[in-house]
């Protein structure tokens, strides 16, 4: 029997998300069309957006649907950096923690290599936790040059939860927008966008029982974001492209389910983890946790 354990890489789809997606795939309609089929599709997208907003503590209008976490991270890093510098040319420093996923690190490095920005890698301790003092020192010295800060909510490899409250509070004193990649936090921790004080937050469908290839950037109302994809002006004109109705519906079902059952899921997982650790320790006494 194969036991699949790598839910940090991708999760099995939730049967309700599969059912919603399959049902929607059999329907036709571009949510941007003005005729009946389009309006019906638009309603499904807007209901999905409402449900995502409710599950994530955000207003529906703050949910920008994307084709996955990587795209949402790119939109956050490039979109915030460009928009911030356009307003104030001194703001060229892009601050990211040293343990970000490549979907954050690589766009930051790309901005430095191609767009005249500077990347500042914020150090972490031996548990992968952000050194908040180092961020405070960076902001004290160069706060007026910071374009954005991106620190992930929870780490995809070792699970470290970052001190976002402290990051948000420090950033606020220097007028710097904060983005968090919450791809690994949703369904594991309480994620409330409004309460977090974040300006932008990334989520992804396939880490919570939804499909691969759909995600969202939750972006505070009024946040200046320069689009990465140009075209038909969908999604508040920051993410052009026909909205994938079936995926929107499926991610909404999956996120709602993951958030609703988070506590029982966590309890079950903790039990499984403890049993696994105990089993390994019994069989391999020299194993290091
Ligand atoms: C923390 C984190 N951010 C971003 C991503 C990328 O998300 P997606 O696979 O939806 O592009 C992942 C997936 O591996 C992740 O773990």
């Amino acid at each position: 029997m194969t036991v699949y354990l790598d839910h940090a890489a991708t999760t099995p789809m939730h049967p309700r998300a599969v059912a919603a997606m399959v049902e929607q795939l059999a329907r036709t309609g571009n949510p941007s069309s003005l005729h009946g089929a389009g309006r019906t599709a638009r309603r499904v997208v807007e209901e999905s957006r409402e449900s995502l907003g409710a599950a994530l503590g955000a207003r529906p209008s703050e949910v920008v649907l994307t084709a996955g976490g990587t795209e949402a991270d790119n939109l956050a890093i490039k979109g915030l950096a460009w928009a911030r510098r356009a307003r104030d040319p001194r703001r060229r420093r892009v601050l990211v923690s040293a343990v970000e996923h490549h979907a954050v690190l690589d766009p930051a490095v790309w901005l430095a290599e191609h767009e005249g920005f500077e990347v500042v890698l914020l150090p972490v301790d031996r548990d992968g936790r952000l050194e908040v003092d180092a961020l405070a020192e960076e902001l004290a010295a160069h706060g007026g040059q910071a374009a954005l800060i991106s620190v992930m909510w929870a780490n995809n490899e070792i699970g470290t939860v970052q001190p976002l409250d402290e990051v948000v509070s420090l950033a606020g004193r220097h007028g710097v927008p904060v983005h968090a990649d919450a791809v690994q936090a949703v369904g594991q921790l309480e994620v409330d966008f409004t309460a977090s004080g974040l300006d932008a937050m990334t989520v992804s469908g396939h880490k919570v029982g939804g499909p691969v290839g759909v995600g969202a950037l939750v972006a505070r109302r009024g946040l200046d974001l320069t689009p990465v994809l140009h075209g038909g002006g969908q999604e508040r004109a920051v993410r052009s492209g026909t909205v994938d109705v079936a995926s929107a519906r499926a991610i909404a079902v999956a996120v709602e389910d993951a958030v609703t059952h988070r506590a029982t899921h966590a309890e079950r997982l903790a039990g499984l983890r403890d049993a696994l650790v105990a089993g390994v320790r019994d069989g391999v006494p020299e194993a290091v946790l």
Side-chain angles (χ1 to χ4, degrees):
M1 186 178 77
T2 303
V3 177
Y4 180 81
L5 292 176
D6 194 1
H7 286 218
T10 197
T11 52
M13 266 185 81
H14 193 289
R16 277 185 54 224
V18 173
M21 187 160 185
V22 169
E23 185 182 63
Q24 195 60 45
L25 282 170
R27 298 178 181 158
T28 306
N30 182 329
S32 298
S33 300
L34 295 178
H35 49 60
R39 288 202 305 274
T40 306
R42 160 70 64 182
R43 201 171 317 123
V44 174
V45 171
E46 295 314 324
E47 282 167 8
S48 305
R49 201 189 305 284
E50 271 171 36
S51 150
L52 279 171
L56 298 170
R59 297 185 180 94
S61 61
E62 292 176 319
V63 177
V64 177
L65 292 163
T66 65
T70 300
E71 191 198 317
D73 280 342
N74 270 262
L75 175 57
I77 303 302
K78 294 173 186 161
L80 280 172
W82 284 325
R84 208 70 186 88
R85 188 178 61 180
R87 279 209 180 176
D88 178 352
R90 290 172 312 150
R91 294 207 178 255
R92 294 174 39 249
R93 289 168 87 80
V94 174
L95 280 51
V96 297
S97 92
V99 289
E100 291 303 303
H101 190 276
H102 277 286
V104 165
L105 281 177
D106 290 18
V109 169
W110 182 86
L111 284 172
E113 288 176 350
H114 299 276
E115 292 285 301
F117 285 88
E118 260 176 80
V119 185
V120 178
L121 285 184
L122 301 166
V124 296
D125 65 17
R126 61 188 296 276
D127 294 323
R129 190 173 190 273
L130 182 76
E131 306 262 15
V132 176
D133 288 350
L135 172 61
E137 278 165 31
E138 161 66 27
L139 289 173
H142 308 291
Q145 294 162 37
L148 72 114
I149 301 172
S150 182
V151 174
M152 70 205 316
W153 198 310
N155 187 271
N156 49 302
E157 292 186 8
I158 55 173
T160 306
V161 177
Q162 297 293 357
L164 287 183
D165 284 357
E166 292 172 74
V167 174
V168 166
S169 142
L170 277 170
R173 282 179 232 158
H174 298 270
V176 186
V178 182
H179 163 255
D181 178 328
V183 164
Q184 300 285 349
V186 174
Q188 311 292 337
L189 302 168
E190 189 182 345
V191 171
D192 184 322
F193 177 70
T194 305
S196 72
L198 288 166
D199 295 282
M201 177 178 97
T202 293
V203 298
S204 169
H206 73 108
K207 310 288 182 170
V208 291
V212 175
V214 63
L217 184 68
V218 183
R220 158 176 81 63
R221 261 205 308 208
L223 184 69
D224 247 355
L225 267 181
T226 302
V228 174
L229 293 182
H230 299 90
Q234 291 90 345
E235 298 299 286
R236 283 160 61 179
V238 290
R239 198 282 179 185
S240 284
T242 302
V243 175
D244 177 346
V245 188
S247 293
R249 207 175 140 192
I251 189 180
V253 168
V255 167
E256 188 197 31
D257 197 87
V259 168
T260 309
H261 298 112
R262 183 176 66 84
T264 43
H265 179 64
E267 202 177 313
R268 187 172 152 266
L269 276 189
L272 289 170
R273 176 203 56 207
D274 293 347
L276 178 66
V277 169
V280 170
R281 283 199 152 144
D282 268 0
V284 190
E286 63 276 22
V288 177
L289 183 63

